[in-house]
Amino acid sequence: MASKKQIILPIAVLVGGLGMAFAFASMKQPPVEKPEQDMRPLVSIKPLSFDAITLDVKSYGIVKPKNQTELVAQVSGQVVSLSDQFVQGGFVKQGDILARIDPNDYEAALIEAEAGLAQASSALEIERAQVSVAQAEWDRIKGDSNQVIPSELYLRKPQLAEKLASYRAAQASVKRAKRNLERTYIKAPYDAIIDERLISLGSVVNPGNSFGSLSSTSLAEIRLPVADKDLQYLNNQGIGASVSINAEFAGKQTTWQATIVRSEGVVDQRSRMNYLVAQVATPYEQKQPLRFGSYINATIEGRALDNAIVVPHHLVKDKKVAVLQDGETLTFKTLNIVREQNGMVIADNGLANGEQLITSALEYPTEGMAVKLDDAKLSLPTTQLALKEE
């Protein structure tokens, strides 16, 4: 049989343990209740508004004259005079005399030709008188003649034809002599700027020798390359469109206006670009001259959209953007994209005026996701990703 000690000791240990458990339980504090946390992601938004937009097309080019002419001698001789304006960079008017070839030989040739014409004219008049006499003689004797029709030789028709031919040859000689004398004057064919001069006073020239070259100042032309895909943004493929031209003049950016007058109608084999030609009237008579050879940047006026919206490209994924619905949930809207350019997307349908575009980056955006506004970012520009790539 167990001793009394063996029985009492376990009971004492059990009672002590229960007492300590009750003591510790009475000391335990109830857990503090924590407030429920809002786990909705913070987003920033940007209100959208539709505006009228022009689908302009950017290009570039070099200003060149529409007409450029090389002055070539048509007669030979010594250069006896030069205009003070006949220097590189000089401006001349249509008809201005730029240089003169010694005219003495050509004046003498003209006098000789005129003398020959006078002789031929006199011989022709004498022959015409003889023809009249022969005709009168025939009329007098034809009643006694066996011939019904007189011979042409009798009426001196061959002789008259010969004298008439000599007269016309003499006229041609006078015309040729006058033309050669006129060609001793080297004249400007139009208002122009002198590109270069290749002769000096006293130079001897022959037909075909170059005096220099000049460029017309009435019209400037600029070939503007345009990618084939950009033609869709231009009315009538750009013909008649206004062009804003920008270039530096005296160290300052200056703007001129031009007009597209034609398309070259082919695709360049090297660049694979279409070329539109813009014209500027009287480029050197502008407030700031548009100089030939200037490199310019051009903006071609394109089609106008009455209601369109511009959205940063990084906010668009699969033609969709995220917008805030009812101030608390995210929804996706599909855009009708018209153009993508310079990191921006232009759309003319898919969003309503005043809708709020979500501009914050979200890890896994889903339709109907609950979100909350980040009031500190409501006025910030759209610089963050709305839809992050998964």
Side-chain angles (χ1 to χ4, degrees):
M1 294 181 64
S3 66
K4 184 184 292 187
K5 183 178 180 180
Q6 290 176 331
I7 296 173
I8 295 174
L9 182 60
I11 295 173
V13 172
L14 178 61
V15 171
L18 291 174
M20 292 181 63
F22 281 113
F24 283 124
S26 63
M27 295 175 60
K28 184 178 179 182
Q29 298 292 331
V32 179
E33 293 186 3
K34 296 182 179 179
E36 185 178 351
Q37 294 185 354
D38 188 352
M39 301 301 294
R40 294 177 299 168
L42 287 173
V43 295
S44 58
I45 61 172
K46 177 183 178 182
L48 298 175
S49 62
F50 283 81
D51 295 307
I53 294 176
T54 302
L55 302 177
D56 295 337
V57 174
K58 302 293 185 181
S59 189
Y60 56 89
I62 297 176
V63 182
K64 295 183 178 180
K66 180 180 180 181
N67 296 307
Q68 192 171 26
T69 302
E70 182 180 4
L71 300 172
V72 176
Q74 293 178 286
V75 295
S76 59
Q78 186 178 39
V79 178
V80 294
S81 67
L82 290 173
S83 169
D84 292 339
Q85 295 302 110
F86 192 25
V87 292
Q88 187 170 355
F91 289 92
V92 294
K93 296 291 185 180
Q94 183 179 7
D96 284 356
I97 298 174
L98 307 180
R100 183 77 194 277
I101 297 173
D102 186 1
N104 289 326
D105 291 342
Y106 301 99
E107 289 173 347
L110 177 59
I111 293 173
E112 184 177 357
E114 289 175 338
L117 177 61
Q119 290 178 347
S121 177
S122 175
L124 179 61
E125 290 301 320
I126 292 172
E127 189 59 39
R128 282 174 176 168
Q130 290 178 346
V131 168
S132 297
V133 171
Q135 183 66 48
E137 181 65 19
W138 169 253
D139 292 340
R140 186 180 64 81
I141 68 172
K142 67 180 179 180
D144 300 330
S145 174
N146 294 328
Q147 294 183 349
V148 179
I149 299 175
S151 66
E152 290 189 352
L153 186 61
Y154 181 85
L155 296 179
R156 302 188 64 85
K157 289 185 178 180
Q159 295 89 329
L160 179 62
E162 180 185 4
K163 298 302 181 183
L164 182 59
S166 297
Y167 175 75
R168 289 177 176 172
Q171 283 183 316
S173 296
V174 171
K175 187 176 181 179
R176 188 180 302 109
K178 287 182 177 179
R179 182 193 62 193
N180 288 337
L181 181 59
E182 181 66 22
R183 286 174 175 174
T184 61
Y185 294 94
I186 308 301
K187 298 180 180 180
Y190 38 67
D191 294 353
I193 181 174
I194 304 300
D195 295 328
E196 62 177 346
R197 193 187 80 186
L198 300 177
I199 51 93
S200 299
L201 194 64
S203 299
V204 176
V205 296
N206 293 305
N209 290 155
S210 177
F211 277 77
S213 62
L214 46 76
S215 298
S216 172
T217 56
S218 61
L219 283 174
E221 288 193 341
I222 309 150
R223 296 176 71 236
L224 301 175
V226 176
D228 190 71
K229 65 182 180 62
D230 288 336
L231 289 178
Q232 62 182 306
Y233 306 125
L234 303 176
N235 292 313
N236 194 26
Q237 296 189 350
I239 306 301
S242 298
V243 184
S244 180
I245 294 172
N246 294 284
E248 280 197 359
F249 179 81
K252 297 181 179 179
Q253 283 294 326
T254 308
T255 301
W256 297 267
Q257 296 301 315
T259 304
I260 301 293
V261 295
R262 68 179 186 276
S263 168
E264 293 188 353
V266 297
V267 177
D268 187 88
Q269 294 185 357
R270 291 179 297 178
S271 64
R272 310 309 301 169
M273 302 288 276
N274 299 277
Y275 279 88
L276 303 178
V277 180
Q279 284 187 353
V280 179
T282 59
Y284 281 89
E285 296 179 14
Q286 305 284 330
K287 184 177 179 181
Q288 301 293 350
L290 178 60
R291 297 165 295 183
F292 296 144
S294 299
Y295 180 86
I296 59 92
N297 291 305
T299 302
I300 306 172
E301 184 180 19
R303 292 192 294 112
L305 300 178
D306 294 332
N307 290 290
I309 196 164
V310 180
V311 179
H313 190 277
H314 63 262
L315 299 180
V316 182
K317 181 180 179 182
D318 297 331
K319 297 184 179 182
K320 294 182 179 181
V321 293
V323 298
L324 184 66
Q325 187 176 39
D326 300 327
E328 58 184 18
T329 58
L330 178 151
T331 187
F332 294 106
K333 292 294 184 71
T334 302
L335 300 179
N336 181 38
I337 297 176
V338 178
R339 187 180 190 181
E340 299 180 26
Q341 184 184 37
N342 298 329
M344 307 299 288
V345 171
I346 300 175
D348 63 354
N349 202 354
L351 293 173
N353 202 31
E355 282 194 293
Q356 297 173 319
L357 179 68
I358 295 177
T359 61
S360 299
L362 298 174
E363 287 290 341
Y364 302 104
T366 58
E367 181 70 28
M369 172 190 287
V371 296
K372 63 180 178 179
L373 293 180
D374 186 355
D375 295 334
K377 296 183 180 180
L378 288 180
S379 60
L380 293 179
T382 306
T383 58
Q384 294 181 316
L385 292 176
L387 302 177
K388 188 173 181 180
E389 294 287 340
E390 297 185 5

